[in-house]
Amino acid sequence: MRKMLKICIIVGARPNFFKVAPLVWAVRKEAASGVPVTCQIVYTGKAGDGDIEASLLADLELSNGEVDWLGVDAKRINELTGRVMEAFDQWLDTHEVDVVIVVDDLASTMATAIVAKKRGLRLAHLVAGTRSFDITMPKEINRLVIDGLSDLLFTAGEGGSTVVSKGGGDLSKVYMAGNILMDTLRHFQNRLRRPALMDSAQLADGAYILFTLNRKALTEDDQRLAPMLDQLVEISQKVPVVAVLRNEAQSAVSRLLPGDHAKFLITGPLPYLEFGYMSAHAKGVVTDSGNVAEEATFNRVPCITLNSYTEHIETVKVGTNVLAGEDAGVLRKALNNMVDGKWKDGRLPDRWDGRTAERIVKILLEE
């Protein structure tokens, strides 16, 4: 009789949930057909974390029983790394695991990857091979360490696979599984919820610009952020701008806004299905998030990324995304093109077909 495969999936931050939910759905499907496989999500943060809205698990069709919480909270990266390592090591003392799947490039991702390998467990990296090629970035170090330790490297596309091979990675470990975020977007494409704020603000579909911000390089530097906001406030006189912002980003933006910004609307975080609706129905998106830029390409919505690079270069090469860096002049031109409908056509990159989780689970079962 085939041995039960026990999978542990690590989540280090809210966006990771969107990428791992399809894995849980795929495991459920296999188990329902009689395949001996189970999985458990382990979130390194606390239950009731301020970034995790109460509706998130329900929105993603996950049950409370499918998520454990390590409860680690720390501001300093190295402190967080050490505390996550200790907490996950203790969790493994009482849970039998065959393979650990880690997602993306957080400090907590690296911490759990190290513990898994020290425990002799198989380690799989989801969205492997992403690089900024800037070694001064903590996340770049995390990526190098995680890819180097992993037994299985699941890349989102040819770019990620190429990076791994050029870095000396063992190609027998590399699988171009595809972009797993697309599994989630396709699954919920017809289940999104129009937010009440759109009615209260009298926002019509396709008649607003969605703005998100998260990078500390901008939120903690007024001189960098202010010129960007000036351009967004100016374009809001033509098309309303809705800023969906969390905590520090909301404080930074509110502090720098000029007195007259009636059409630049600020709101706090939205439930997943409501934000998804706003992203899918926007005239355009301005963001510093790779995930949000991917959503825009999926939805064929024009997108401007406030960064000089993206780990998801396919959104620029074949999708709807353009890079504005931190240049207010470039942003101004791009915003006017967006409002005037002068935007490039985008198409879906390879392996954005919604079957990534299915491919990953089958590979794990065959290994």
Side-chain angles (χ1 to χ4, degrees):
M1 184 175 179
R2 188 175 186 176
K3 179 181 179 292
M4 177 71 72
L5 177 66
K6 297 180 180 180
I7 303 171
C8 170
I9 305 170
I10 301 297
V11 171
R14 180 179 180 273
N16 291 164
F17 276 103
F18 312 145
K19 296 182 180 180
V20 305
L23 291 174
V24 177
W25 307 334
V27 168
R28 284 182 195 155
K29 183 178 179 180
E30 293 288 346
S33 68
V35 177
V37 59
T38 64
C39 69
Q40 181 75 41
I41 294 175
V42 175
Y43 178 59
T44 59
K46 295 180 178 180
D49 187 316
D51 284 341
I52 309 296
E53 67 268 26
S55 66
L56 182 63
L57 296 186
D59 283 348
L60 293 176
E61 299 176 4
L62 301 172
S63 70
N64 288 325
E66 290 172 318
V67 182
D68 277 349
W69 314 82
L70 294 186
V72 176
D73 183 21
K75 297 295 184 183
R76 296 171 63 88
I77 291 178
N78 289 336
E79 178 188 1
L80 176 68
T81 303
R83 292 181 62 184
V84 168
M85 289 180 69
E86 180 180 9
F88 185 50
D89 196 41
Q90 292 177 356
W91 186 88
L92 287 171
D93 286 340
T94 56
H95 296 81
E96 186 178 345
V97 172
D98 298 307
V99 58
V100 175
I101 301 177
V102 296
V103 188
D104 289 337
D105 51 18
L106 302 171
S108 52
T109 309
M110 181 183 69
T112 50
I114 292 170
V115 171
K117 289 307 295 179
K118 286 189 174 183
R119 287 271 190 157
L121 300 174
R122 276 194 298 159
L123 178 66
H125 188 195
L126 182 57
V127 198
T130 58
R131 296 287 189 276
S132 67
F133 301 103
D134 181 358
I135 200 65
T136 66
M137 291 180 60
K139 285 187 176 182
E140 187 74 354
I141 296 171
N142 298 342
R143 295 164 186 151
L144 291 166
V145 172
I146 299 163
D147 278 357
L149 291 175
S150 294
D151 301 292
L152 299 167
L153 295 141
F154 296 118
T155 67
E158 290 184 5
S161 299
T162 300
V163 165
V164 173
S165 63
K166 285 186 176 179
D170 184 349
L171 288 179
S172 67
K173 298 180 178 181
V174 181
Y175 298 87
M176 195 177 86
N179 190 332
I180 199 165
L181 184 60
M182 298 307 114
D183 293 30
T184 307
L185 295 179
R186 287 180 180 276
H187 184 79
F188 291 113
Q189 193 170 16
N190 298 317
R191 311 181 202 187
L192 302 176
R193 296 194 301 262
R194 180 179 168 89
L197 76 87
M198 289 187 64
D199 294 326
S200 61
Q202 298 183 321
L203 295 172
D205 288 358
Y208 60 89
I209 293 172
L210 178 65
F211 172 51
T212 77
L213 182 70
N214 186 60
R215 278 199 306 136
K216 288 186 177 181
L218 290 174
T219 61
E220 296 181 354
D221 190 331
D222 289 0
Q223 290 187 336
R224 285 183 172 184
L225 181 57
M228 303 294 175
L229 289 179
D230 288 344
Q231 299 306 318
L232 286 163
V233 171
E234 181 178 325
I235 205 69
S236 72
Q237 304 308 307
K238 295 182 179 180
V239 176
V241 174
V242 183
V244 180
L245 304 172
R246 294 180 175 275
N247 306 326
E248 293 84 358
Q250 187 170 149
S251 298
V253 170
S254 299
R255 182 178 66 250
L256 293 173
L257 283 178
D260 180 18
H261 61 271
K263 294 185 179 181
F264 185 101
L265 313 174
I266 298 177
T267 184
L270 294 173
Y272 175 71
L273 296 179
E274 293 186 12
F275 181 84
Y277 186 98
M278 292 206 72
S279 176
H281 293 86
K283 185 174 187 64
V285 173
V286 180
T287 186
D288 60 359
S289 164
N291 286 349
V292 175
E294 288 177 274
E295 288 187 40
T297 281
F298 174 77
N299 292 315
R300 306 320 206 266
V301 171
C303 180
I304 301 168
T305 293
L306 301 181
N307 210 336
S308 57
Y309 80 96
T310 175
E311 293 91 345
H312 311 278
I313 194 61
E314 65 275 17
T315 64
V316 176
K317 286 185 173 180
V318 302
T320 60
N321 188 24
V322 300
L323 303 179
E326 296 169 7
D327 188 317
V330 173
L331 176 59
R332 179 189 179 114
K333 182 178 180 180
L335 283 170
N336 280 295
N337 286 340
M338 179 182 283
V339 169
D340 294 339
K342 300 175 181 177
W343 208 260
K344 62 180 178 177
D345 292 328
R347 61 177 175 81
L348 293 185
D350 293 340
R351 297 257 169 147
W352 285 37
D353 57 4
R355 299 183 61 190
T356 296
E358 174 187 326
R359 286 189 282 267
I360 289 172
V361 171
K362 288 190 178 300
I363 290 167
L364 293 175
L365 289 168
E366 291 168 1
E367 279 285 320

